[in-house]
Amino acid sequence: MSQRPASSVRASGPAASTLAPAISNWIDSSAARHYVTLIASTAFIGLAHVLGARIDWRVYAVMGSWVVANALMTRWAARPVDYARRLGRYGWTIVIDVLFLGVTYVMLDAAQYLGIAFFAHMMLIATATLPRPRAIAVAALIVGVYMVVVVLPVAGLVHVASPIGLPPVTGNRLFVVAGIAGALWTVLLLMHLQTRFVNSMRDAERRYVTLVESASDMVMTFDQGGHFLDVNPATIEQTGYTWEEIKRLPNTAFFPPADWPAIMGAFARTKAGASVELEVRYVRKDGAERWVHTSAFPLTVDGKAATVVIARDVTDAHRRHDELREKDERLNIVLRALKAGFITFDRDVRVTSVFGDWARAQETKGVRLIGADLHALFGGDAPGGVLERHADACRRVLAGEEASVSWAYPTDEGERSFRSHLVPLRDAEDVIVGGVALWVDETALAVAERERRQLQQRVADAERIESLGKLVSGVAHELNNPLAAILNFTEDLLADTRTPEERLALEVIQAQALRSRTIVRDLLTYARRDVARPQTPAAPGPILHSLARAMQRGFATQGVNFTVELRDADTAVPLDRTGFEQVVTNLLTNAGQAAGTGGSVRLSSRARDGWFEVIVEDNGAGIPPDVAARMFEPFFTTKPTGHGVGLGLSVSAGIVQAHGGSITAQNRPAEAGGGARFVLRLPLPAEA
Ligand code: ADP
């Protein structure tokens, strides 16, 4: 028995939409059954003969011809593929059967006793398989043949003795009337009942077939081994395969390998009796992969377990989903470039959509934003007031206003500044259905604004310092001459013999005058800092020695222990001598002040890696970080009024830079005695 799917019968197109499958199958299987019936009947007759029944030899001749006729007829009837022609030929086999049955009855003289039974059986088959007009014709033929079978012996035209010795019916006219009326009634009644039964079955089947065949979803039946048993036209159409191809197709070729595990799992579950839904891909004949949403159910086909799969092509939905995601992605990229994000919310201030980096970060953290209370988004760590201001802005937006909120948020990379703009969202009828909050990261803007203000401040400072410089330069210039006079006369007075008190007083005058001269000189240097001063190669050794000698006295007065250790000091270095002296004097003065009474200061030098280094160290308190950051600024001082104007390091740095060198400062480690260490570096000439 070959399994022909509904679709193959209908493959010629929807015009052939007569109900076919069940009858078609039945016709196929009935041929085999008919053989068995015929041979069994012949054998039964033979057995009866052996057991003593009187069987006319012509009965065997008729039965033999019937078997042969049946063999030829069924082969002939099964040949056409077209269902209507097939059915027509099958109708003829029934007609032939009725005629043979009639002849057999006459030969057996059994009509009067077996009555209409076998004919009724024929009629039932005809009604179940043939269209109504043909079934009626067969019924008429049956009644006609039966009449002949009954009338012939009653009229005495045929004399066949009953095989089991029953009395003959010859001359019994009442039997003719009753037999024929009974037969007619039986045929009509059975026909009527059968038609009703068959019709309701046909309707049900037609409904099912129409449903499956006209379904836009693919409907496929698989056997336990995963082979196709049956598919509907949608499957043929969508997969691009013909039924013959798909029948032979292993399902491993139908599904891409990546989806096999899921499909095997689903198969196993349906085999166990569950219905399973799955989203998988299959490969079309042209090689294209399509997504299908499948529902699989267990089913029994011809007594064997099978699986029905209904598959809906969702490739387009998938694509639309992907496109939508791509669009979202693009929007996210734009928002990221703008350092912005936005949220839409409904009238209950619940989030309906959200875009931007922040939203993504939340999603990856597993926070569900859609549907969340907008206010709750700020979480517990919202800086003060942000929540309230946003809540207020939302209220105003839902009342139809626009609102704007500036806020800052602490992040791992420091505080970030944001501005939110909130506007109402209206539907087609202009009813407010919620709002949109667009936020922009304004951190860079805020930083730029801060820097702008600082710059403005610095320009103002510079202008102020500039005019101050001019003024100071004038004053300093005027002070130089009186200071020179004071120093000269003090020196003269000290050259004479003096009482200790007088000498002390004169030394204080001299020290203070020297200090004043340093300040005046720094002020002048600062005021004239743009004027380039000539540099000539000179050995720094002698300069440093005479400077150290000059400073020695001051340090001694201050009670500061001063040591000098010069190395490589005879290398000629291009120097602006006055400037160089000024820098070293400043560094030594600062060191002396930092070391204080009982402290010590060390001056050393060395040539290293193309640099001539002068190092000034003290064991004072060192430089606090906030001072270190600013000590090279002009007029920055931590010393009380009258002790420093804050120009020393600034002026020194300027002079050293003019030499192409640098000054660096660092604190000495505590184990080395603490304090500060200033290194002045001047470039050595290339040949040195
Ligand atoms: P002034 O000496 O007039 O204060 P400077 O420009 O020479 O101006 O120094 C600026 C500041 O740098 C000082 O006020 C002091 O705070 C700090 N400083 C300079 N040298 C030292 C040092 N050797 N140890 C500690 N602090 C120092």
Side-chain angles (χ1 to χ4, degrees), residues 586-587 590-591 593-594 618 621-624 627 631-633 636-639 643-650 675-676 678:
N586 278 334
L587 294 180
N590 280 345
Q593 283 172 349
D618 63 68
I623 314 159
V627 173
M631 64 188 178
F632 287 97
E633 286 177 17
F636 174 81
T637 180
T638 56
K639 294 169 192 167
H643 288 265
V645 286
L647 274 177
L649 288 179
S650 146
F678 283 76

Side-chain angles (χ1 to χ4, degrees), residues 242-259:
T242 62
W243 164 242
E244 296 304 322
E245 286 167 337
I246 214 166
K247 201 162 52 172
R248 278 181 220 108
L249 199 67
N251 55 19
T252 46
F254 193 63
F255 299 110
D259 288 355

Side-chain angles (χ1 to χ4, degrees), residues 8 28 38 226 249 253 397 513 666:
S8 69
D28 283 334
L38 273 179
L249 199 67
V397 162
Q666 66 197 116

